[in-house]
Amino acid sequence: MRPRPSRFPVLRPPPRRLVVVVLVAIIVGTTVYRITSTASSRAAALGASRVVAVVVDDLAAGDVIELGDVEMLDRPVAHLPDDPVVDDPTGLAVRVSMTAGEVLTIGRVAGGDRTGAAALIPEGWRAVTIPVIDAVVPAQPGDLVDVIASFDPTLSARDSSLVIAADAVVVDVAEDAVTVAVTRPRVTEVAFALANGIVTLALVG
C-alpha cells in the first residue's frame, strides 16, 4: 500500500544567489534611506536657500567685476549676510578687497559706473586728501582709519587731541598723502583740523 501524499508541499530553500541579491538590495535601500534622511535633516536645519553672487577670483579694492569673477550660487539663507547681491554684478566695482568664496554684499560694491578711487567712496561721502608728515600709515585702499586731530591748547579751546572722523575709508595712498572718504558732516571738521592743527591717521583693526 502506497503512503498517502502529504497535505503540505515540501518547501525547498531559495537559491543562494537569490538570497545574496535580496540581502544586497536591503543593504543598498537602507543606505540610500539613511543618506536621504540625513540630507533632508541637514536641509531642514539650514532652512531656505537663495541664489547670491559669490566671488570666484580674488578682487582688490576698486576692481571692476568682470565676467567670471563671480558666480550666482545657491546658499543657505541662515549663512548669508544681511545684504547679499542677488543680481549679476558684472560691471560694478568693489569698495574693499575680497577673496574667493566670499558672498558679495551690496555695501561692498559701488553704484553707477564709478571705478578706481571714486568707486571706493560711499554714496554721499566726500574724499579728503591728508598730507603725510612722517610715515605713510600702513593702509591699503578699502581699509578703514580714524582721522585724529591734534591742536595747540594755547590756540584752540578744543581738546588737544580727538577723533574727528571715525571709520574713514582709504581711497588712495601716495608717498606724501593719503586720501580718505568721510561722511559729509565730517568734511568741515577735517578741513578745520588741516588748517589749524596736525592730522594723523590710525588704522582700524
Side-chain angles (χ1 to χ4, degrees):
M1 185 174 182
R2 294 182 180 180
R4 300 176 64 182
S6 175
R7 295 183 179 181
F8 303 99
V10 178
L11 299 179
R12 295 182 179 181
R16 182 176 300 177
R17 181 178 299 177
L18 178 60
V19 174
V20 173
V21 170
V22 172
L23 290 176
V24 170
I26 293 173
I27 294 173
V28 171
T30 303
T31 303
V32 171
Y33 174 77
R34 288 178 179 176
I35 294 175
T36 304
S37 299
T38 302
S40 299
S41 300
R42 290 179 178 176
L46 292 175
S49 61
R50 191 178 188 184
V51 176
V52 297
V54 179
V55 177
V56 176
D57 295 322
D58 293 349
L59 297 171
D63 283 353
V64 176
I65 299 173
E66 298 179 352
L67 190 65
D69 287 338
V70 301
E71 288 184 356
M72 304 304 295
L73 301 175
D74 200 38
R75 289 289 185 268
V77 173
H79 293 171
L80 291 178
D82 294 333
D83 57 345
V85 174
V86 297
D87 297 317
D88 184 5
T90 302
L92 300 179
V94 292
R95 289 195 173 115
V96 297
S97 299
M98 300 195 67
T99 57
E102 288 190 83
V103 175
L104 191 64
T105 60
I106 295 174
R108 292 186 172 186
V109 294
D113 56 357
R114 293 180 295 164
T115 60
L120 304 182
I121 304 174
E123 191 72 27
W125 289 35
R126 301 291 185 269
V128 181
T129 298
I130 299 175
V132 174
I133 298 176
D134 297 320
V136 178
V137 63
Q140 300 293 328
D143 288 345
L144 300 180
V145 294
D146 286 342
V147 182
I148 303 172
S150 299
F151 300 100
D152 185 341
T154 63
L155 300 177
S156 175
R158 298 191 175 203
D159 294 337
S160 59
S161 213
L162 70 160
V163 176
I164 56 174
D167 294 336
V169 181
V170 176
V171 298
D172 187 62
V173 179
E175 293 183 1
D176 57 352
V178 176
T179 302
V180 299
V182 299
T183 59
R184 188 171 182 177
R186 297 287 91 192
V187 173
T188 54
E189 293 289 334
V190 176
F192 180 88
L194 288 171
N196 299 278
I198 299 175
V199 177
T200 55
L201 302 176
L203 186 62
V204 176

